[in-house]
Amino acid sequence: MDGPLNLYSAVALAASDTAKGKGVFVLMNDDIFAARDVTKAINIHTDAFASQWGALGTLVEGKPYWFRNVAKRFNNSSEFNIENIQGDTLPLVQIVYGSGNMLPDAYLAYAKAGAKAIIHAGTGNGSVANYIVPTLNQLQQQGVQIIRSSRVPQGFVLRNAEQPDDKYGWVVAHGLNPQKAKLLAALALTKTKDPKELQRIFWEY
């Protein structure tokens, strides 16, 4: 049901009084997803979007039916005001994907290019190879925030598992994939450079 019907359904959802105050949505194939949770899961099918936490509801004959709400902060409950942030002034954040036989060069190059934070998209629980840890700690000490995410499409990254995040001053992206962690990190860095505060933001949003 890709195309015009999706557009019609999206307008019907936006016009519904029951949608007010529930946040930003992605509506595809009559499934209502929270924009925070949803991701494109496949590129060759019309039902391309999915959320590991499931849909918020569904649209039937132009009427939304709800089954859950978003637990994270958004809209008026947010501490961020996008009107005060210009897109070209957001801090630079880059992603490095974990793999076997990694080299530290990518992290160092991004830091040299001015990255204020690096998202490490690790295997499993955002794992970091032991031989990469010294490089990340060096960058952390230089003021580059290290944020552990996972390249695995479902689940979330546990703090102080795999690596002692408290000891190193690293942040975990929790349930955000690397791409979304990059966006939140850039936004969070307009408020703070304190790893503890950055972690709070990743817990709450």
Side-chain angles (χ1 to χ4, degrees), residues 15-46:
S16 171
D17 289 339
T18 66
K20 292 179 180 177
K22 292 182 182 293
V24 178
F25 310 116
V26 171
L27 186 143
M28 293 289 287
N29 288 351
D30 289 338
D31 284 326
I32 305 169
F33 295 107
R36 180 202 181 274
D37 300 341
V38 74
T39 189
K40 191 166 186 177
I42 189 167
N43 64 342
I44 55 174
H45 292 170
T46 55

Side-chain angles (χ1 to χ4, degrees), residues 18 21-22 25 34 37 55-57 66-72 74:
T18 66
K22 292 182 182 293
F25 310 116
D37 300 341
L56 298 179
W66 302 96
F67 303 105
R68 69 182 184 89
N69 290 320
V70 177
K72 302 293 186 177
F74 60 87

